[in-house]
Amino acid sequence: MTSIAFIGLGNMGGPMAANLVKAGHSVHGFDLTPASRDAAKADGVTIAAKAADAVKNAEVVITMLPAGKHVLSVWSEIIPAVAKGTLMIDCSTIDVESARKSHALAAEHHLPSIDAPVSGGTGGAKAGTLTFMAGGDAKAFAAAKPILEAMGKKIVHCGDAGAGQAAKICNNMILGISMIGVSEAFVLAEKLGLSHQALFDVASTSSGQCWSLTSYCPVPGPVPTSPSNNEYRPGFAAALMLKDLRLSQEAAKAAGAVTPLGAHAESIYETFEKAGHGGVDFSGIIHQLRHLAGK
Ligand code: NAD
């Protein structure tokens, strides 16, 4: 049993903390929102009055927060309160620069740290089947791995500080672009009088095959579990896809990479969000493309 502090008990953090409790760990947690605190308490998390109290006796600290500014602010607050040798793990999806700054904050206090963003969504968080993409030194990764295994099924060491975040935004840039590509193909098929099922049957077993088509098919019917069959309820909200595409474009600019399709995908999701659809599953982008086609 490990004593773990978990800060940020929202849609992802709540079920992740619950899985740590189920695995037999002692979990102390904190969240700014009363509803998140209450739900985590019902799952066996001991709720502290503030983040710095939750980390007092922790051997491992995990954060699962909205963005880089929240992670830097919480890490600055709690690091002076943690015991020597405490392992710091951030599972949020944040920009690579903030991830590297958070590692530097930990290093100033001689604390091991890893960035370990996830993929798999709220379903994976509940089922304990997340994929973790980790960045940090080998010793910190080895210490984190058994803890992450209580919340995920695949744990990949991607490299040094920030490499987990780099892997996450590169993957999600592919995802955003591929979802638009698959949606464009269905809109073109509609115009050509080709049925959704016929396109799916061909493309899912041909060179057009990809996760956006076979797991998150943007039209209802061919993949019964995809959000399109459930009125495009997320799943993975378009606002979160836009956040990740923005992170990819910030990183591309800073690193001098040329990512024209990533930039175009960002602008298409931005228009979708500005039209009030940020809460729709990201596969709902097909509506935006039909709208552009004047349907
Ligand atoms: P969420 O908004 O449900 O949860 C974030 C929680 O952090 C909230 O409960 C909020 O109250 C809390 N919080 C914010 N500032 C805090 C502070 N200073 N102290 C304590 N608590 C604070 O978001 P989420 O869906 O759980 O996502 C969390 C992270 O995981 C994000 O970075 C997101 O991009 C990433 N992510 C989400 C998904 C998904 O499908 N939801 C998938 C993969 C990755």
Side-chain angles (χ1 to χ4, degrees):
M1 185 189 83
T2 304
S3 178
I4 301 171
F6 207 115
I7 316 297
L9 300 162
N11 292 327
M12 294 294 288
M16 288 165 73
N19 280 330
L20 291 170
V21 173
K22 273 188 211 150
H25 299 298
S26 156
V27 185
H28 291 246
F30 178 72
D31 193 289
L32 292 178
T33 313
S36 299
R37 294 199 295 267
D38 292 347
K41 194 175 168 190
D43 286 332
V45 175
T46 305
I47 300 298
K50 57 181 199 289
D53 289 349
V55 303
K56 263 183 194 152
N57 297 309
E59 297 158 87
V60 176
V61 172
I62 301 176
T63 48
M64 191 53 164
L65 297 162
K69 63 180 181 191
H70 306 99
V71 174
L72 286 172
S73 143
V74 168
W75 278 41
S76 305
E77 179 196 339
I78 61 180
I79 278 180
V82 302
K84 214 176 146 195
T86 299
L87 172 63
M88 301 291 299
I89 304 176
D90 178 46
C91 293
S92 329
T93 301
I94 65 172
D95 59 290
V96 176
E97 201 190 328
S98 296
R100 289 187 178 141
K101 279 187 188 158
S102 61
H103 279 276
L105 271 174
E108 273 171 30
H109 289 77
H110 309 290
L111 302 173
S113 59
I114 62 163
D115 51 293
V118 304
S119 81
T122 50
K126 283 188 193 117
T129 55
L130 294 169
T131 295
F132 286 87
M133 299 147 243
D137 67 39
K139 205 173 156 203
F141 175 73
K145 198 165 177 246
I147 302 294
L148 301 181
E149 277 166 350
M151 302 179 283
K153 68 172 186 338
K154 189 162 188 198
I155 325 290
V156 185
H157 190 200
C158 299
D160 290 336
Q165 298 296 348
K168 168 81 186 174
I169 58 170
C170 288
N171 178 73
N172 279 19
M173 188 174 78
I174 298 173
L175 180 62
I177 293 169
S178 69
M179 181 55 82
I180 293 169
V182 168
S183 298
E184 285 185 4
F186 276 109
V187 172
L188 176 59
E190 287 165 4
K191 293 278 182 200
L192 297 174
L194 179 65
S195 75
H196 291 160
Q197 192 64 48
L199 174 59
F200 181 85
D201 288 346
V202 171
S204 64
T205 53
S206 303
S207 46
Q209 190 277 329
C210 65
W211 191 91
S212 291
L213 177 68
T214 56
S215 291
Y216 254 54
C217 186
V219 293
V223 179
T225 50
S226 74
S228 55
N229 298 281
N230 192 21
E231 292 168 357
Y232 295 89
R233 288 197 193 94
F236 185 53
L240 286 177
M241 173 48 80
L242 177 59
K243 172 193 164 184
D244 292 356
L245 285 167
R246 280 186 177 139
L247 291 177
S248 76
Q249 293 315 291
E250 279 166 27
K253 203 170 163 196
V258 180
T259 56
L261 288 184
H264 201 167
E266 181 194 6
S267 80
I268 290 172
Y269 274 102
E270 195 169 78
T271 308
F272 193 55
E273 197 209 34
K274 277 189 183 148
H277 305 307
V280 170
D281 185 75
F282 82 114
S283 59
I285 202 69
I286 193 164
H287 300 312
Q288 174 81 8
L289 298 164
R290 284 203 190 99
H291 176 72
L292 289 175
K295 207 173 169 185

